[in-house]
Amino acid sequence: MSELKKTILYEKHQSVGATIVEFGGFLMPLYYTTIPIEHHTIRNEVGMFDVSHMGEILIKGKDALKFANYILSSNIVVSNKMQYGFLLYENGTIVDDLMVYPFSEDKILLVVNASNTDKDFEHILKYTNGFDITVENRSNDFGEIAVQGPKSFDTLSKLFKSLPEHSGDFGSFPYEDGYLLISRSGYTGEDGFEIYGSNEEILNLWDKFYNLGITPCGLGCRDTLRFEAAMPLYGHEIDNTINPFEAGLTFAVDLTKEDFVGKAALTVLKDNIKRKVVGLELLERNVPRQGYPVFAGETEIGRITTGYLSPSTNLPIAMALIDSNYAKIGTNIYVSIRNKMIPAVVRNKKFIEKKNKV
């Protein structure tokens, strides 16, 4: 078993008594106080996450944009907007979901899930023949902090001028002897920013953010927050057995592109969707955990992918991958919890009012 990695901020987490767990091959903070306290901090105030475990893969060269469009499902255009897309297998299932920073036609940055970084890098390298590019795994060179919450803009404005104005915008910001990459984005359903820099810069920024009153928050509430915002997580709503249409993420697939890895399979699959990720709400007080089976009568039709007693709404809600014949909103189904059939209903995935669109 390989040794677990530590981010540049690991000792910061230890110094304030964080509960540390393994996640994606890293030792990461689960929480510093409690998950509910940190959850409500992000919903109502401002908090920060160490997300330095995320992977950064840089594509450079004359054909960088052309190559990105060949290996990704969405249509990548050079702009100051982050873009979301999938790396796909030839059969249309998902290698990973990722964010794209299209700096220029010859320089594209992919930000990938920590646990998938090595797999993604090897997958990308398989398709480089014929393209004038280089591909670098720069994950060890950068750290990242996500600042999230309704007070994030006002708080960060004390350190940075001319922050990105709109959701998805990004830019380069001079900081000490180098530059930071800052995007107005996040994974919580709230307004916020993601800041990339050298490991030394991120170490320095964490202290500055802490002194500004930004609360450290752990991966525990990051999951409850992203779930309430109906954002997928690899290993839950998406994985190597599901395609983007089943996941309800069609917006990140552009079948009008000339070609991309997985296009041929998705062209066939788009009219033959047998499963679908839906929202569920239990009709009795209980907690729908990941992996619990879902039934229609005595027929098992799927499983819970993520479920919680929502910290924001106090409702027992979940996302589930089920037979598409039962996916219509309002359909009555059951969730098996400790061998007891709990009634539930299919509902939309608007669990909360998201406030991340500015």
Side-chain angles (χ1 to χ4, degrees):
M1 182 177 177
S2 58
E3 185 177 353
L4 293 173
K5 301 176 184 177
K6 299 173 182 174
T7 74
I8 189 67
L9 296 169
Y10 177 76
E11 291 184 2
K12 297 289 183 185
H13 307 319
Q14 277 198 315
S15 70
V16 291
T19 295
I20 303 290
V21 297
E22 185 275 335
F23 181 83
F26 285 79
L27 290 168
M28 299 294 293
L30 181 64
Y31 54 80
Y32 303 80
T33 52
T34 70
I35 291 174
I37 287 174
E38 293 168 15
H39 180 103
H40 292 298
T41 295
I42 298 294
R43 286 276 178 260
N44 300 300
E45 302 287 336
V46 57
M48 60 180 173
F49 300 95
D50 175 13
V51 282
S52 303
H53 59 312
M54 300 292 284
E56 288 86 16
I57 296 174
L58 187 62
I59 304 169
K60 294 194 298 184
K62 183 170 68 71
D63 294 336
L65 181 63
K66 181 180 177 183
F67 179 70
N69 272 303
Y70 182 63
I71 59 167
L72 295 172
S73 61
S74 50
N75 186 28
I76 307 301
V77 295
V78 173
S79 73
N80 69 333
K81 286 280 187 186
M82 288 173 57
Q83 292 157 51
Y84 179 75
F86 295 107
L87 286 172
L88 297 171
Y89 293 105
E90 302 279 354
N91 68 359
T93 60
I94 298 170
V95 180
D96 201 6
D97 67 331
L98 48 82
M99 299 308 304
V100 184
Y101 289 85
F103 299 123
S104 63
E105 290 194 3
D106 59 5
K107 189 175 181 183
I108 309 282
L109 176 66
L110 311 180
V111 179
V112 305
N113 285 298
S115 59
N116 289 338
T117 302
D118 292 341
K119 178 185 73 172
D120 292 355
F121 186 59
E122 293 302 319
H123 177 84
I124 291 168
L125 291 180
K126 289 195 303 183
Y127 296 98
T128 56
N129 285 344
F131 292 93
D132 185 0
I133 56 163
T134 60
V135 182
E136 303 170 6
N137 182 353
R138 300 288 301 276
S139 304
N140 292 332
D141 299 336
F142 298 105
E144 181 189 354
I145 299 172
V147 176
Q148 299 283 288
K151 296 184 179 179
S152 56
F153 181 88
D154 289 343
T155 306
L156 286 187
S157 292
K158 296 173 183 174
L159 277 183
F160 302 105
K161 302 302 179 187
S162 304
L163 286 166
E165 291 187 8
H166 302 293
S167 302
D169 288 356
F170 68 82
S172 179
F173 290 75
Y175 181 75
E176 298 193 340
D177 296 329
Y179 286 87
L180 301 171
L181 170 63
I182 301 180
S183 58
R184 195 159 191 169
S185 57
Y187 194 48
T188 63
E190 299 295 333
D191 188 16
F193 297 84
E194 293 176 305
I195 301 115
Y196 303 81
S198 69
N199 286 320
E200 293 73 21
E201 289 165 339
I202 291 300
L203 190 63
N204 175 286
L205 273 177
W206 184 269
D207 288 336
K208 286 192 174 181
F209 290 169
Y210 189 83
N211 290 332
L212 282 173
I214 302 177
T215 303
C217 298
L219 294 178
C221 80
R222 188 168 168 81
D223 196 55
T224 56
L225 291 158
R226 72 89 193 163
F227 160 70
E228 287 184 341
M231 294 179 178
L233 175 63
Y234 198 91
H236 292 251
E237 286 70 39
I238 53 177
D239 60 29
N240 62 2
T241 68
I242 186 171
N243 66 60
F245 301 134
E246 293 174 320
L249 300 168
T250 305
F251 74 92
V253 176
D254 186 350
L255 291 177
T256 68
K257 287 203 300 183
E258 181 179 351
D259 195 14
F260 61 87
V261 177
K263 177 183 176 180
L266 291 185
T267 301
V268 175
L269 291 168
K270 69 181 175 63
D271 296 321
N272 189 28
I273 302 172
K274 297 184 181 302
R275 303 180 300 170
K276 188 175 180 182
V277 173
V278 299
L280 298 182
E281 184 172 333
L282 300 189
L283 301 178
E284 292 181 3
R285 191 78 171 173
N286 217 312
V287 183
R289 304 287 188 193
Q290 181 193 8
Y292 286 177
V294 179
F295 285 82
E298 296 183 353
T299 303
E300 185 171 337
I301 60 170
R303 58 182 171 80
I304 300 292
T305 54
T306 307
Y308 284 105
L309 186 62
S310 164
S312 296
T313 66
N314 207 31
L315 293 173
I317 51 179
M319 289 192 280
L321 177 62
I322 66 171
D323 185 323
S324 57
N325 291 317
Y326 302 92
K328 184 178 178 182
I329 290 176
T331 302
N332 291 306
I333 44 88
Y334 295 89
V335 178
S336 177
I337 301 179
R338 293 183 291 278
N339 296 319
K340 183 180 178 182
M341 290 294 190
I342 305 298
V345 63
V346 177
R347 56 160 289 171
N348 63 45
K349 292 185 284 185
K350 295 178 181 177
F351 300 131
I352 58 162
E353 179 186 354
K354 291 196 282 188
K355 300 173 183 173
N356 57 339
K357 300 299 182 186
V358 292

